[in-house]
Amino acid sequence: MSVSISKIVQALEPSATLAMAAKARELKAAGKKVYDFSVGEPDFNTPEHICQAATRAMAAGHTHYTASGGIQELRTAVAKAYQARHGLEYSPAQVVVSNGAKHSLHNAFTVLCDPGDEVIIPAPYWVSYAELVKLTGAKPVIVETEEANDFKLTPGKLRAAITPKTKILLLCSPSNPTGSMYTPEDLGALADVVQEKNLVVISDEIYERLIYGDNKFASFATVRPGLIERTITINGVSKAYAMTGWRIGWTLAPLAISKAMDSLQSQETSNPSSVSQYAALAAIEGPQQCVDDMLKHFAERREYVRHRIAELPNLSCPNMGGAFYAFINIQAHLGRDYAGKRVNNSADWCLELLAQQGVATVMGSAFGAEGYARLSFATNLETLAKGFEGIEAFLKS
Ligand code: PMP
Ligand code: GLU
């Protein structure tokens, strides 16, 4: 019997970041030395006090179902943290805790999009946005941006992409995959168009705590009065607290939207892991020194990566204001042979780099930008040094 897969899932691209990470793992398992800069996740272990809170939660019997949208203490803690950091007023009911920020994004698109609606996504974009939009039957509208403008969407480009069907603008700052950041003024100028055209904004702020130097982070909902009514903010503990495996993310949204997401989640997954929720609570309410300590390491690696890219012939990358990615322009290195293998595009380049030098990166085409490769520098300096030796040897081959 041949079973057919639904058309909507047939059209789904698997996550390229996770696919490259799996390929790197496979090669490692086969005994090859691999320097893995594919997946974007902190290499640090979750801080000890957070792990201890999870152990205490288990001992205290917090091993049952919780409210589908998360325990009250965590929703309250998230709301308080937003009030303290950004002056935004949310009730705990406006916070929905989900199985990672990816799930929060899925919930947000699912409760907002009808088939035919359009969602504007500036490219380069994180691999999951367009696919999650397609799952709802809505249409991702990809808008290209310029490297010379650090890959930021401009009000003019936004305006030109809006049609009567446009419902949502997706923003991600600091950006995965480029590391670039919108200034508060940039966001304000986009917000003016958003308000004029009556759009909803999904603002993915998962890298909010990983900001370098003098760059100023502004939560989108704060940059103009009234935006809180049309913004869904996505965040979570994965990146700031090195908690990718715990699977806790959340949304802050207008109450009607939060209620809809809570109700969707109650049918879809029920609550996210009870133990993980207590760990996330300890992360938010506990000492924040761990975030600063990790940031120091990321900042050092960013400097190193910046220098190495500048040293190598004909490579460049936009200014990395935050997150832990370098989005390397490799255009000058395409259309030639590497050790007898023809390399025409970013996918060829990344696959050959992995095969020939054991260096894993992710092709720009997966992020909607041909001619680039994304390197995650959430790895130690020693691995980065070895990886850049591999890249250098590859470019010379
Ligand atoms: N948004 C962005 C921009 C990301 O880079 C990630 C990391 N995969 C996510 C959302 C999802 O995070 P989580 O691991 O919490 O699902
Ligand atoms: N955000 C990370 C990345 O882009 C995690 C992998 C994923 O969820 O796609 O590499």
Side-chain angles (χ1 to χ4, degrees), residues 174-175 179-181 207 210-212 215 302 320-325 377:
S175 156
S180 97
M181 270 185 81
Y207 295 102
L210 303 179
I211 311 285
Y212 304 112
N215 290 286
R302 166 183 175 260
M320 297 171 271
F324 37 59
Y325 305 105
F377 55 84

Side-chain angles (χ1 to χ4, degrees), residues 29 49 86:
H49 70 279
H86 304 301

Side-chain angles (χ1 to χ4, degrees), residues 81-82 85-88 90 171 173-174 181-184 187-188 191 201 203-205 208 211 216-224 227-228 231-235 252:
Y82 270 75
R85 274 211 304 280
H86 304 301
L88 288 166
Y90 288 102
L171 289 175
S173 176
M181 270 185 81
Y182 290 87
T183 64
L187 291 176
V201 169
S203 180
D204 185 342
E205 302 180 359
E208 172 197 348
I211 311 285
K216 289 250 172 317
F217 173 84
S219 189
F220 182 78
T222 64
V223 298
R224 290 284 184 272
L227 281 178
I228 196 165
T231 304
I232 298 168
T233 303
I234 308 282
N235 213 324
L252 299 120

Side-chain angles (χ1 to χ4, degrees), residues 113-192:
C113 294
D114 280 315
D117 286 345
E118 293 181 359
V119 178
I120 295 180
I121 303 176
Y125 48 78
W126 178 48
V127 290
S128 295
Y129 297 139
E131 302 310 308
L132 293 175
V133 169
K134 282 197 256 166
L135 271 184
T136 70
K139 183 180 162 199
V141 173
I142 307 301
V143 179
E144 285 186 13
T145 60
E146 317 290 329
E147 182 179 347
N149 189 34
D150 280 338
F151 291 116
K152 290 186 285 191
L153 179 68
T154 59
K157 287 202 174 218
L158 170 59
R159 207 176 270 284
I162 295 171
T163 75
K165 292 185 177 161
T166 307
K167 182 153 187 191
I168 300 172
L169 166 65
L170 185 288
L171 289 175
C172 178
S173 176
S175 156
N176 179 1
T178 67
S180 97
M181 270 185 81
Y182 290 87
T183 64
E185 294 72 31
D186 293 332
L187 291 176
L190 292 174
D192 291 339

Side-chain angles (χ1 to χ4, degrees), residues 14-24 35-41 124-128 176-178 324-330 345-354 359-377 391:
S15 163
T17 47
L18 297 183
M20 276 307 268
K23 216 178 255 296
Y35 306 102
D36 189 2
F37 312 111
S38 61
V39 77
E41 70 168 335
Y125 48 78
W126 178 48
V127 290
S128 295
N176 179 1
T178 67
F324 37 59
Y325 305 105
F327 203 57
I328 309 174
N329 184 329
I330 55 168
N345 54 39
S346 61
D348 294 348
W349 195 86
C350 291
L351 292 172
E352 277 311 313
L353 177 63
L354 179 59
V359 177
T361 54
V362 184
M363 52 290 274
S365 51
F367 306 99
E370 186 42 81
Y372 295 85
R374 189 193 76 171
L375 178 143
S376 160
F377 55 84
I391 294 174

